[in-house]
Amino acid sequence: MLNYAFAQNPASVSPSNFDFHCHSVVSDGLLPPAELARRAAGNGVDLWALTDHDDLGGLDEAAAAAAEAGMGFVTGVEISIEWRDVPIHIVGLGFDPGHAGLAGGLEALRAGRVERARRMSDSLAAAGIPGVFEGAMRYAGNPNLISRAHFARYLVEARIAKDVQTVFQYYLTPGKPGYVDHRWATLEDAVGWIRAAGGVAVVAHPGRYRLLSHKDLRAFLAEFKDCGGEAVEVVCGSHSPDHVLHFARLARFYSFHASRGSDFHGPEESYVDLGRLPGLPEDLKPVWRLLA
Ligand code: AMP
Ligand code: MN
Ligand code: MN
Ligand code: MN
């Protein structure tokens, strides 16, 4: 096991450009962990977390490359949950990656993904698009972590739609042929695993849950806090300036710490590059303070 030096005391770094959300080929990103680390450092990131979906397999490589680049590193993961039937993502930061409870929970989530992918493929076949499971698997850098993003890349290759955005719009979102209901982790499970492993739980990109009304989102945040959740992403790649103001207000109201992350997946697929984000509103408590 590597020595996650900065994961023990990132607060001593007092970062000016932290980025706590991105993906490597271990989930649905396009770059290996070490390349992400070098890109982040090159963009001026001084404290960085890799947060692959439901998998910790990239953390050793990421930590080693971050150390080589002289950049602070924090362990990370983005856990898929559902709450009142709505899929939501919870980022975990600064946990012990060797914790058995967390690893076991994530393993079950990955197994569920393979089963879901087969049902997605069956549903697309019934709609006249065969062979998508096999096609999507060719895009999965990690055969145990298949995501809708891999389906989207294959469906673009198969000329079913012109780009990834269009594939999601017509094939991979609720009500469309490639979307199937799925049981993810519960909120209590995800926050519980993260906390048991010594980490901090963060609500990922709260501006993206269009299936939740404002009232539901507030109920969700209250429940998240009751479970031991401590932070929300306020500045992130998919947030508009209005989102930033809105979630800054909610962070103050619930007394959450604030996180910041690009959600970078790859050079051609992301609007925001690693570390290229506005700063947090100055009065908010940055989440890295909880990681000391
Ligand atoms: P999954 O976890 O398998 O449901 O896949 C979700 C992933 O698909 C997200 O993490 C994004 O990488 C990607 N994704 C979701 N919605 C979109 C979208 N509208 N356009 C592009 N990528 C998307
Ligand atoms: Mn993703
Ligand atoms: Mn997400
Ligand atoms: Mn993400």
Side-chain angles (χ1 to χ4, degrees), residues 187 216-228 254 256:
L187 175 63
D216 285 346
L217 185 69
R218 282 173 169 269
F220 171 75
L221 292 175
E223 224 173 276
F224 172 72
K225 193 173 171 87
D226 284 346
C227 293
Y254 289 100
F256 285 132

Side-chain angles (χ1 to χ4, degrees), residues 7-288:
Q8 262 76 59
N9 193 11
S12 67
V13 183
S14 203
S16 61
N17 186 355
F18 72 101
D19 187 334
F20 285 171
H21 192 149
C22 68
H23 300 273
S24 78
V25 292
V26 168
S27 63
D28 57 3
L30 294 168
L31 302 177
E35 261 182 63
L36 280 175
R38 288 191 284 271
R39 189 179 182 102
N43 285 356
V45 172
D46 48 9
L47 187 60
W48 176 64
L50 173 66
T51 57
D52 275 310
H53 298 284
D54 308 325
D55 201 313
L56 309 180
L59 295 180
D60 281 358
E61 182 183 319
E68 201 151 301
M71 177 175 63
F73 180 75
V74 171
T75 55
V77 67
E78 184 176 16
I79 303 182
S80 312
I81 70 159
E82 28 142 346
W83 182 81
R84 297 189 185 169
D85 292 334
V86 175
I88 290 178
H89 289 168
I90 302 293
V91 163
L93 296 171
F95 49 80
D96 166 13
H99 188 270
L102 174 61
L106 297 180
E107 194 178 340
L109 273 174
R110 293 194 294 273
R113 279 181 171 277
V114 175
E115 179 271 336
R116 175 184 75 141
R118 292 199 181 278
R119 285 187 289 121
M120 288 168 60
S121 182
D122 290 348
S123 177
L124 284 163
I129 309 169
V132 182
F133 180 83
E134 292 73 17
M137 281 304 262
R138 284 199 281 108
Y139 283 85
N142 169 3
N144 296 314
L145 200 296
I146 179 86
S147 142
R148 279 185 292 156
H150 304 118
F151 275 67
R153 288 169 197 152
Y154 170 70
L155 288 168
V156 172
E157 177 201 303
R159 295 177 178 271
I160 300 299
K162 68 172 160 56
D163 56 29
V164 161
Q165 283 300 332
T166 314
V167 176
F168 269 94
Q169 189 179 346
Y170 292 104
Y171 295 93
L172 297 177
T173 39
K176 306 300 183 198
Y179 191 87
V180 298
D181 284 331
H182 187 62
R183 297 275 74 101
W184 297 105
T186 65
L187 175 63
E188 293 76 9
D189 280 344
V191 175
W193 299 334
I194 292 165
R195 286 176 63 82
V200 172
V202 185
V203 177
H205 43 62
R208 279 202 14 211
Y209 307 124
R210 284 186 212 141
L211 295 171
L212 293 182
S213 67
H214 283 296
K215 186 164 168 265
D216 285 346
L217 185 69
R218 282 173 169 269
F220 171 75
L221 292 175
E223 224 173 276
F224 172 72
K225 193 173 171 87
D226 284 346
C227 293
E230 295 176 273
V232 293
E233 285 182 352
V234 172
V235 172
C236 71
S238 53
H239 276 180
S240 67
D242 278 349
H243 282 133
V244 174
L245 293 173
H246 182 64
F247 294 108
R249 272 196 299 272
L250 287 176
R252 289 181 201 109
F253 180 82
Y254 289 100
S255 200
F256 285 132
H257 282 65
S259 192
R260 174 179 184 262
S262 56
D263 206 0
F264 182 77
H265 281 70
E268 258 106 62
E269 278 193 20
S270 302
Y271 292 115
V272 173
D273 208 326
L274 290 155
R276 300 263 160 87
L277 298 152
L280 288 176
E282 291 212 344
D283 66 302
L284 297 183
K285 301 169 283 183
V287 68
W288 52 260

